[in-house]
């Protein structure tokens, strides 16, 4: 059947399922651990689904990102506005007309777009959605520490073939909210405590990374920073105030969040949410801070996807965003991965710095056709974000040199090729590392991560009015690094320069200047006879365990202040 016949018979195709295609045939649909089905959804129940519409001019967008992010370019720092990005990537009039007609004929209502017009979120009944998305079958599920309720389809969906040039994927069918990998490790044993610290606090971070009491925000610029949370977790303002009372006495700080976007639940505070806010605001001290909290939560929505929609719909945003969300790269469809990567490109073109945690499973491990391989994480593996790994103190009770934290996520993408900005650094690592795992375990030509690192082991957090020690994970290192970049942005803005924007091209050009190189330790991986639980190992220069290293603030400020 030809394309013309498909267009003429659009409504019939919805009902018959003939002349159809699957946008996400490779999307994993198995139930994640900790989730259980509660049975079929009522046919008249209302669902919110998000349709990712095909964008235009993506090659041009990529060129512009390179131009505004490369210090050697005459366009460096000349970022696009949201309206500029919209004009560049918005779907064609044919795409908009075709998709809107299809949805209206199916009974969709209350459809909302974004400024860039490349997402459309609509409400339908379960019955209408199952007719619209041939093969889908919606069920209720509950899972996670917060007993989150979602509606998802365990079966794949198909769309009319006529929509293949117009729709990338439909959100709200398969992907489940992420689970926290944050750990509370047992306290190391030591005799006596004279001259020792008993866990990582803001003062420990500021001492290790050479910040003085004067290294805080001025309170006079329009600088701001943000963290985003998708775990159905919430922070409590009273916990932040208590944290700053206990640990923030030696530096000027803000004791409350400037703006919350999304829903702040009334239940117990989550350790991850508390950690993100407390360490972003103590590292990036006295800088206005936003929190994206489970934005747009509804049972049919994907919280991470809703955050991306917010970025595409808000012209004035914080300059630095830190995110501790991650998923196995292989669990997500190629269509979804490529589209989310494009959303990161849009953010980079606008001069936003996106920092993602590298994950807490080392190199990871999974079995493919009976053979073990390392398991990369996404969005850590995106070439358009800055990924933060983790370190520990060589002596857990002394502010000493750092070594690899064995959980620090790192490796090579199986989806995204190695970007040009890291070509030289990664090639050097691969040719010089004395401890490379077997080549069958990783894709040496893929985007390699992390890019940088910070302490990820043994943090103090205040949650539900209780100080909690020895909290660990790259969920801790990411807001710390983000906060320090916000301080550097403060200096740049006050001296009339643009914010840092997408950092990686500059970071790799400067070959780790301003960072402490971490050269000792390996992270974890597959527990088998071949690699015996060891993934990659750190060494001089860049490595896929701690990137270029951890921040030496005065040196990093000097390196990144000009131009």
């Amino acid at each position: 059947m030809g394309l013309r016949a498909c267009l003429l018979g659009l409504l019939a195709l919805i009902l018959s399922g003939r002349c159809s295609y699957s946008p996400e045939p490779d999307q994993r649909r198995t139930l994640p651990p900790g989730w259980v089905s509660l049975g079929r959804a009522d046919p008249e129940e209302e669902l919110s689904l998000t349709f990712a519409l095909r964008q235009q001019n993506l090659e041009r967008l990529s060129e512009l990102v390179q131009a505004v992010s490369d210090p050697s370019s005459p366009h460096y720092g000349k970022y696009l506005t949201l309206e500029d990005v919209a004009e560049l990537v918005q779907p064609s009039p044919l795409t908009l007309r075709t998709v809107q007609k299809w949805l209206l004929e199916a009974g969709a209502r209350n459809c909302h777009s974004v400024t860039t017009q490349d997402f459309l979120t609509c409400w339908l009944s379960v019955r209408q959605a199952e007719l619209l998305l041939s093969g889908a079958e919606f069920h209720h599920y509950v899972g996670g520490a917060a007993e989150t309720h979602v509606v998802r389809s365990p079966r794949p969906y198909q769309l009319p073939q006529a929509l293949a040039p117009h729709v990338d994927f439909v959100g709200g069918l398969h992907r489940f909210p992420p689970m926290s990998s944050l750990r509370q490790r047992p306290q190391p044993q030591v005799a006596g405590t004279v001259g020792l610290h008993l866990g990582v606090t803001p003062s420990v971070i500021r001492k290790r990374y050479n910040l003085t009491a004067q290294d805080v925000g001025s309170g006079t610029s329009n600088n701001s920073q943000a963290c985003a949370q998708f775990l159905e977790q919430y922070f409590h303002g009273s916990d932040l105030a208590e944290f700053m009372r206990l640990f923030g006495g030696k530096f000027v700080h803000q004791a409350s969040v400037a703006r919350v976007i999304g829903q702040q639940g009334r239940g117990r505070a989550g350790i991850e949410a508390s950690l993100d806010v407390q360490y972003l605001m103590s590292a990036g001290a006295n800088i206005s801070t936003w929190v994206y909290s489970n934005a747009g939560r509804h049972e049919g929505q994907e919280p991470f996807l809703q955050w991306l929609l917010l970025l595409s719909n808000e012209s004035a945003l914080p300059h630095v965003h830190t995110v501790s969300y991650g998923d196995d790269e292989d669990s997500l469809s190629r269509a979804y991965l490529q589209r989310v990567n494009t959303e990161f490109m849009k953010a980079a073109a606008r001069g936003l710095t996106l920092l993602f945690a590298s994950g807490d499973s080392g190199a990871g491990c999974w079995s493919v056709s009976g053979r073990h391989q390392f398991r990369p994480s996404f969005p850590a593996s995106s070439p358009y974000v800055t990924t933060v790994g983790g370190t520990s103190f060589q002596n857990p009770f002394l502010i000493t040199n750092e070594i690899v934290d064995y959980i620090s996520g790192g490796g090579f993408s199986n989806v995204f090729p190695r970007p040009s900005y890291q070509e030289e650094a990664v090639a050097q690592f691969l040719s010089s590392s004395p401890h490379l795992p077997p080549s069958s375990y990783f894709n040496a030509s893929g985007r390699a991560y992390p890019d940088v690192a910070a302490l990820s082991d043994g943090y103090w957090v205040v949650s539900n009015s209780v100080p909690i020690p020895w909290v660990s994970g790259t969920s801790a290192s990411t807001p710390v690094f983000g906060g320090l970049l916000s301080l550097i942005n403060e200096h740049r803005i006050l001296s009339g320069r643009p914010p840092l924007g997408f950092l990686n091209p500059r970071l790799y050009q400067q070959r780790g200047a301003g960072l402490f190189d971490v050269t000792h330790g390996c992270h974890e991986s597959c527990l088998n006879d071949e690699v015996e639980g060891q993934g990659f190992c750190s060494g001089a220069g860049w490595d896929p365990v701690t990137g270029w290293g951890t921040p030496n603030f005065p040196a990093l400020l000097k390196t990144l202040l000009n131009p």
Side-chain angles (χ1 to χ4, degrees):
M1 188 179 288
L3 183 60
R4 185 178 176 192
C6 286
L7 282 166
L8 293 172
L10 206 53
L11 186 56
L13 295 177
I14 297 168
L15 300 173
S16 69
R18 289 176 297 158
C19 194
S20 59
Y21 79 107
S22 177
E24 302 184 83
D26 51 345
Q27 173 66 45
R28 189 173 68 191
R29 294 182 302 278
T30 52
L31 204 57
W35 290 86
V36 295
S37 173
L38 301 178
R40 286 290 299 270
D42 186 286
E44 302 311 315
E45 185 175 339
E46 293 287 297
L47 280 181
S48 171
L49 297 173
T50 298
F51 300 85
L53 277 56
R54 188 68 45 84
Q55 298 151 315
Q56 300 189 99
N57 303 314
L58 298 187
E59 284 190 18
R60 178 62 182 147
L61 178 65
S62 176
E63 292 167 2
L64 287 168
V65 169
Q66 178 64 25
V68 300
S69 307
D70 181 350
S72 64
S73 163
H75 298 286
Y76 178 69
K78 296 177 181 177
Y79 303 124
L80 279 66
T81 64
L82 176 60
E83 290 68 30
D84 293 333
V85 173
E87 190 174 335
L88 187 67
V89 306
Q90 65 187 19
S92 69
L94 177 61
T95 290
L96 293 171
R97 282 197 309 270
T98 304
V99 175
Q100 287 167 358
K101 179 185 176 190
W102 173 64
L103 289 169
L104 285 172
E105 288 175 338
R109 57 203 165 278
N110 295 332
C111 292
H112 297 282
S113 188
V114 292
T115 302
T116 48
Q117 295 190 58
D118 46 5
F119 286 108
L120 198 57
T121 300
C122 297
W123 289 87
L124 303 98
S125 70
V126 167
R127 187 195 311 278
Q128 290 168 330
E130 290 180 351
L131 286 170
L132 184 74
L133 308 168
S134 177
E137 187 180 276
F138 289 94
H139 293 242
H140 281 278
Y141 296 91
V142 63
E147 294 199 337
T148 304
H149 286 258
V150 300
V151 177
R152 295 289 186 270
S153 171
R155 295 176 55 190
Y157 68 97
Q158 292 193 317
L159 300 180
Q161 187 66 44
L163 291 174
H166 305 300
V167 177
D168 287 334
F169 69 86
V170 183
L173 279 95
H174 299 316
R175 286 166 287 275
F176 282 76
M179 305 293 238
S180 173
S181 58
L182 206 61
R183 316 177 185 196
Q184 188 175 9
R185 294 183 187 164
Q187 179 176 339
Q189 298 303 305
V190 65
T193 58
V194 177
L196 305 179
H197 72 82
L198 295 175
V200 175
T201 64
S203 62
V204 169
I205 286 168
R206 296 179 77 84
K207 184 173 181 182
R208 167 57 187 156
Y209 297 143
N210 292 323
L211 281 86
T212 68
Q214 286 69 49
D215 290 318
V216 295
S218 65
T220 61
S221 75
N222 64 349
N223 192 16
S224 56
Q225 58 189 0
C227 57
Q229 300 161 352
F230 314 110
L231 294 166
E232 197 71 3
Q233 282 197 8
Y234 308 100
F235 77 95
H236 287 175
S238 57
D239 288 339
L240 174 61
E242 177 65 7
F243 177 85
M244 291 300 188
R245 188 187 70 78
L246 289 172
F247 302 119
K250 295 183 179 178
F251 55 91
V252 176
H253 60 264
Q254 297 183 9
S256 61
V257 167
R259 185 173 171 190
V260 176
I261 297 92
Q263 300 176 357
Q264 263 289 89
R266 299 180 182 275
R268 290 174 59 79
I271 293 179
E272 175 117 34
S274 305
L275 173 81
D276 287 348
V277 174
Q278 289 163 19
Y279 281 91
L280 180 61
M281 292 185 68
S282 54
N286 205 37
I287 289 174
S288 177
T289 302
W290 298 17
V291 176
Y292 289 87
S293 180
N294 298 287
R297 256 301 280 142
H298 172 267
E299 288 187 350
Q301 293 177 336
E302 301 174 30
F304 179 67
L305 188 58
Q306 296 306 308
W307 174 70
L308 292 176
L309 266 66
L310 286 171
L311 296 188
S312 281
N313 210 31
E314 191 80 45
S315 56
L317 289 168
H319 302 305
V320 173
H321 297 252
T322 76
V323 188
S324 300
Y325 158 81
D327 221 330
D328 296 326
E329 196 181 64
D330 58 88
S331 74
L332 303 165
S333 72
R334 290 289 176 116
Y336 178 84
L337 290 165
Q338 295 291 355
R339 177 55 187 264
V340 171
N341 194 52
T342 300
E343 297 307 304
F344 296 150
M345 286 172 60
K346 287 161 58 179
R350 297 171 63 191
L352 304 182
T353 303
L354 303 186
L355 293 156
F356 277 84
S358 69
D360 298 337
S361 303
C365 186
W366 68 315
S367 182
V368 183
S369 303
R371 296 257 326 146
H372 284 108
Q373 291 181 6
F374 295 158
R375 192 171 203 179
S377 176
F378 181 82
S381 65
S382 166
Y384 290 100
V385 304
T386 299
T387 305
V388 185
T391 60
S392 303
F393 282 125
Q394 198 157 5
N395 180 323
F397 295 98
L398 293 173
I399 300 175
T400 58
N401 291 337
E402 293 160 76
I403 58 173
V404 168
D405 186 347
Y406 68 92
I407 57 96
S408 179
F412 295 77
S413 173
N414 289 321
V415 174
F416 302 105
R418 185 192 305 168
S420 58
Y421 62 72
Q422 65 171 191
E423 185 67 47
E424 185 182 343
V426 177
Q428 185 167 341
F429 168 80
L430 291 172
S431 64
S432 63
S433 175
H435 303 294
L436 272 185
S439 60
S440 61
Y441 276 72
F442 64 101
N443 172 30
S445 64
R447 186 307 203 224
Y449 69 95
D451 305 298
V452 292
L455 285 162
S456 57
D457 185 19
Y459 279 66
W460 280 90
V461 180
V462 174
S463 189
N464 300 297
S465 305
V466 178
I468 299 170
W470 304 107
V471 176
S472 302
T474 53
S475 296
S477 55
T478 306
V480 165
F481 207 102
L484 299 190
L485 291 182
S486 290
L487 293 180
I488 294 172
N489 271 340
E490 184 86 359
H491 285 268
R492 290 180 61 87
I493 292 165
L494 290 174
S495 60
R497 295 178 178 85
L500 287 166
F502 175 45
L503 189 62
N504 292 11
R506 181 168 187 161
L507 189 67
Y508 283 81
Q509 274 187 30
Q510 296 177 340
R511 300 189 58 77
L515 298 165
F516 292 117
D517 196 3
V518 179
T519 58
H520 295 288
C522 309
H523 62 184
E524 63 186 357
S525 75
C526 304
L527 287 169
N528 61 15
D529 293 337
E530 203 167 15
V531 296
E532 297 180 331
Q534 181 174 291
F536 297 100
C537 296
S538 63
W542 180 90
D543 56 69
V545 191
T546 59
W548 287 107
T550 63
N552 178 5
F553 183 76
L556 191 61
L557 174 62
K558 184 178 179 181
T559 299
L560 296 179
L561 185 57
N562 297 306

